[in-house]
Amino acid sequence: MENTEATGLDASNHELTVKQQKNFITISFDKLLLAPGAEAFMPPAIDASLEGVTAMRTRTQINLIKSSVQSENIKNIVVVGGGYIGLGAADIFSKNGKNVTLIDNSSHILSTYLDTEFAKKIEANLRKRGVTIRLGESVKSLAGEKKVQSVLTTNNSYSADLVVVATGTRPNTSWLKGSLDLSDRGFIKVDAYLRTSVPDVFAVGDSIEIPYTPLYRQQSIALASNAQRQGECAILNLEKPRLAYKSVLGTTSWAAGKYHFSATGLTEKAAESFGLSHKSITITQQQNLETHNGLSKIEVQLKLLYSPNDQKVLGFQIMANGAIHELINIAAIALQKEMTLSELALVDFYMLPGINFLPHIINEAAFKALRAE
């Protein structure tokens, strides 16, 4: 049903109420799978009613971004938020000749995913492309009567024809209050089989919290990859419990400028904030990358985070000046299986003369960590 909004759930009677244009319709169900997703979070200091202020969540918002890229009247872009969405916006606009300012209140961009030494390389690359990066600043207000004209932060003021807000999301679950159990933060509570607190109703995606492996706690991991797997899992469990959705790592991969970067599990910053004992090693390796033009050499940097107590791996970060996305999938398997350094050092990776080199970068990282202990 297109152009339809779910507005209410009567779980005891197995009925869902939806709004289609101006009409409210009641739909009966035997089983219900909820995937209401999340809404873009607008900080209180940002007046979203001003023309030229947008998030990057809905189709309408994405279309506005696309038209703004081509518009000659929009020259100054301010992006609020230095995560993947904010970075993607800054990258797109800078490639199209716009004057871009990226504002984030952290000490470096991508602070959820990367440690400082990786993030600083991306920042330097963006600055070479003309992006102004302002860190440790928060938005205080926007100036403009009907249309935004500038952004005032704790340190400065920036001219703006368009403000793109990428400061995270909140679960779209307010319409479910009183119908099923929600957490204090508004996420739908589910069990290992993705069943909610009421019979025959399941939930998946950005509206639920799931076990996060490195911390053994419930956490929101708003990634399309997780939502897709949860949907498959919930369908298997509709008739009877068959597959428990045990845990996730938050595995991600992205590209900005000349760099491709990936991460899974904890960063050092995250480990410190949760009081976890940890150590890390970083290695750099030259590798061959197969392309349609043959082989090209790329430089790959890998950071391995581990526990000195039991030597279990806690996280990986990988960066290269070429596409190495599949490498993080290997790292994710190791982390999800809670492998130790000794196990990781002896994983039987293949070697093809002239294509890849010995030792495999993950083997090498584990051996280096073992030698340091």
Side-chain angles (χ1 to χ4, degrees):
M1 299 176 69
E2 295 184 355
N3 302 315
T4 303
E5 177 187 4
T7 58
L9 171 64
D10 183 351
S12 59
N13 290 314
H14 284 62
E15 292 180 343
L16 179 72
T17 302
V18 301
K19 182 181 180 182
Q20 192 172 50
Q21 296 180 346
K22 296 182 179 180
N23 300 317
F24 288 88
I25 304 169
T26 299
I27 302 172
S28 298
F29 62 86
D30 296 316
K31 303 284 184 177
L32 177 64
L33 177 57
L34 294 171
E39 302 168 311
F41 171 68
M42 283 285 176
I46 294 179
D47 183 359
S49 67
L50 287 175
E51 182 184 343
V53 178
T54 184
M56 284 183 66
R57 192 75 185 173
T58 67
R59 182 181 300 177
T60 300
Q61 292 166 347
I62 297 299
N63 287 338
L64 175 61
I65 298 293
K66 290 180 178 178
S67 63
S68 299
V69 167
Q70 305 299 326
S71 175
E72 296 182 358
N73 297 323
I74 296 179
K75 297 180 173 65
N76 298 310
I77 314 292
V78 174
V79 179
V80 183
Y84 279 154
I85 302 300
L87 189 65
D91 194 42
I92 291 169
F93 281 115
S94 65
K95 284 179 179 177
N96 284 274
K98 305 296 185 181
N99 178 30
V100 180
T101 301
L102 176 64
I103 300 170
D104 193 271
N105 60 9
S106 298
S107 59
H108 63 268
I109 63 172
L110 299 169
S111 58
T112 301
Y113 311 100
L114 299 177
D115 284 317
T116 303
E117 66 270 29
F118 283 75
K120 291 302 178 185
K121 287 187 176 183
I122 301 169
E123 290 173 11
N125 188 248
L126 288 172
R127 287 190 174 106
K128 282 183 180 179
R129 296 234 311 270
V131 177
T132 300
I133 301 176
R134 306 298 298 179
L135 300 170
E137 295 188 24
S138 299
V139 175
K140 292 178 64 177
S141 63
L142 305 184
E145 293 185 9
K146 294 183 179 180
K147 188 180 186 304
V148 66
Q149 294 179 334
S150 62
V151 177
L152 178 66
T153 72
T154 47
N155 293 356
N156 214 326
S157 179
Y158 307 96
S159 296
D161 301 311
L162 179 70
V163 176
V164 180
V165 183
T167 52
T169 60
R170 297 294 183 270
N172 179 26
T173 57
S174 59
W175 62 281
L176 289 168
K177 287 181 180 178
S179 299
L180 41 72
D181 290 348
L182 304 177
S183 71
D184 293 340
R185 298 174 60 208
F187 290 95
I188 302 170
K189 290 184 178 182
V190 295
D191 66 8
Y193 297 96
L194 302 170
R195 298 174 297 194
T196 69
S197 58
V198 296
D200 300 321
V201 179
F202 297 73
V204 300
D206 297 354
S207 61
I208 69 170
E209 290 180 313
I210 46 183
Y212 180 55
T213 301
L215 297 176
Y216 302 101
R217 54 173 265 177
Q218 295 292 109
Q219 192 161 315
S220 169
I221 307 292
L223 294 170
S225 52
N226 288 328
Q228 186 273 332
R229 285 191 297 270
Q230 290 162 19
E232 297 271 9
C233 187
I235 290 169
L236 279 177
N237 296 327
L238 286 177
E239 294 301 325
K240 62 180 181 179
R242 293 179 60 189
L243 180 62
Y245 199 83
K246 293 183 178 179
S247 64
V248 298
L249 307 164
T251 306
T252 59
S253 191
W254 204 255
K258 70 175 184 179
Y259 288 112
H260 295 250
F261 46 93
S262 307
T264 189
L266 294 175
T267 62
E268 284 202 87
K269 180 181 177 181
E272 289 166 4
S273 67
F274 288 104
L276 295 180
S277 178
H278 64 280
K279 289 184 179 180
S280 70
I281 60 96
T282 301
I283 61 172
T284 301
Q285 190 180 89
Q286 300 294 320
Q287 293 189 3
N288 283 331
L289 178 67
E290 290 186 271
T291 70
H292 63 279
N293 293 322
L295 295 178
S296 63
K297 286 193 179 298
I298 61 171
E299 183 177 272
V300 181
Q301 190 173 20
L302 181 146
K303 183 173 185 177
L304 166 62
L305 193 74
Y306 65 94
S307 167
N309 301 325
D310 56 16
Q311 296 191 351
K312 286 184 179 179
V313 294
L314 297 174
F316 289 87
Q317 296 165 58
I318 302 169
M319 177 177 288
N321 57 341
I324 39 78
H325 303 298
E326 285 305 314
L327 191 56
I328 200 65
N329 287 333
I330 299 172
I333 292 172
L335 191 55
Q336 193 146 8
K337 300 302 291 185
E338 300 187 71
M339 294 178 70
T340 63
L341 295 178
S342 297
E343 292 169 329
L344 202 60
L346 299 177
V347 172
D348 188 13
F349 293 112
Y350 84 99
M351 186 271 181
L352 184 61
I355 300 297
N356 61 351
F357 305 99
L358 293 176
H360 189 281
I361 191 169
I362 290 181
N363 290 144
E364 184 181 2
F367 273 117
K368 183 176 180 180
L370 286 169
R371 289 192 292 268
E373 289 300 306

